[in-house]
Coordinates of all heavy atoms in Angstrom, one line a residue:
L14 N 96.5 90.8 122.4 CA 98.0 90.6 122.3 C 98.7 92.0 122.5 O 98.5 92.9 121.7 CB 98.4 90.0 121.0 CG 99.8 89.7 120.7 CD1 100.3 88.6 121.7 CD2 100.1 89.3 119.3
K132 N 91.2 62.3 98.0 CA 91.4 63.5 97.2 C 92.6 63.4 96.3 O 92.9 64.3 95.5 CB 91.5 64.7 98.1 CG 90.2 65.1 98.8 CD 89.1 65.5 97.8 CE 87.9 66.1 98.5 NZ 88.0 67.4 98.9
I133 N 93.4 62.3 96.5 CA 94.6 62.2 95.7 C 94.3 61.6 94.3 O 93.5 60.7 94.1 CB 95.6 61.2 96.4 CG1 96.1 61.9 97.7 CG2 96.8 60.9 95.5 CD1 96.9 60.9 98.6
L203 N 110.0 92.8 114.3 CA 109.3 94.1 114.4 C 108.8 94.6 113.1 O 108.7 95.8 112.8 CB 110.3 95.1 115.1 CG 110.8 94.7 116.4 CD1 111.6 95.9 117.0 CD2 109.8 94.2 117.4
N240 N 113.1 89.1 94.8 CA 113.8 89.8 95.9 C 113.0 89.5 97.1 O 112.0 90.1 97.4 CB 113.9 91.3 95.6 CG 114.5 92.0 96.7 OD1 115.0 91.5 97.7 ND2 114.4 93.4 96.6
D244 N 115.5 90.8 106.2 CA 116.1 92.0 106.4 C 117.1 91.9 107.5 O 116.9 91.2 108.5 CB 115.1 93.1 106.8 CG 115.7 94.5 107.0 OD1 115.9 95.1 106.0 OD2 115.9 94.8 108.2
R265 N 102.8 80.4 127.5 CA 101.6 80.2 126.8 C 100.9 78.9 127.2 O 99.6 78.8 127.3 CB 101.9 80.2 125.3 CG 102.2 81.6 124.7 CD 102.6 81.4 123.2 NE 102.9 82.7 122.6 CZ 102.0 83.5 122.0 NH1 100.7 83.2 122.0 NH2 102.4 84.7 121.5
E275 N 89.9 75.3 133.9 CA 89.1 76.2 134.7 C 87.9 76.8 134.0 O 87.0 77.3 134.7 CB 89.9 77.3 135.3 CG 91.0 76.7 136.3 CD 91.9 77.8 136.8 OE1 91.4 78.9 137.2 OE2 93.2 77.6 136.9
A333 N 85.8 83.1 93.5 CA 84.4 83.0 93.1 C 84.0 81.6 92.6 O 82.9 81.1 92.8 CB 84.1 84.1 92.1
L353 N 90.8 83.7 122.3 CA 90.9 84.4 123.6 C 92.3 85.0 123.7 O 93.3 84.6 123.1 CB 90.7 83.4 124.7 CG 89.4 82.7 124.8 CD1 89.3 81.8 126.0 CD2 88.2 83.7 124.8
P357 N 102.8 85.6 126.5 CA 103.7 85.4 127.6 C 103.7 86.5 128.6 O 104.2 86.3 129.7 CB 105.1 85.4 126.9 CG 104.9 85.2 125.5 CD 103.5 85.7 125.2
V358 N 103.0 87.6 128.3 CA 103.0 88.7 129.3 C 101.7 88.9 130.0 O 101.5 89.9 130.7 CB 103.4 90.1 128.6 CG1 104.9 90.0 128.1 CG2 102.5 90.4 127.4

Side-chain angles (χ1 to χ4, degrees):
L14 183 65
K132 292 294 186 81
I133 293 174
L203 303 188
N240 177 9
D244 182 79
R265 287 176 179 272
E275 298 177 42
L353 301 182
V358 296

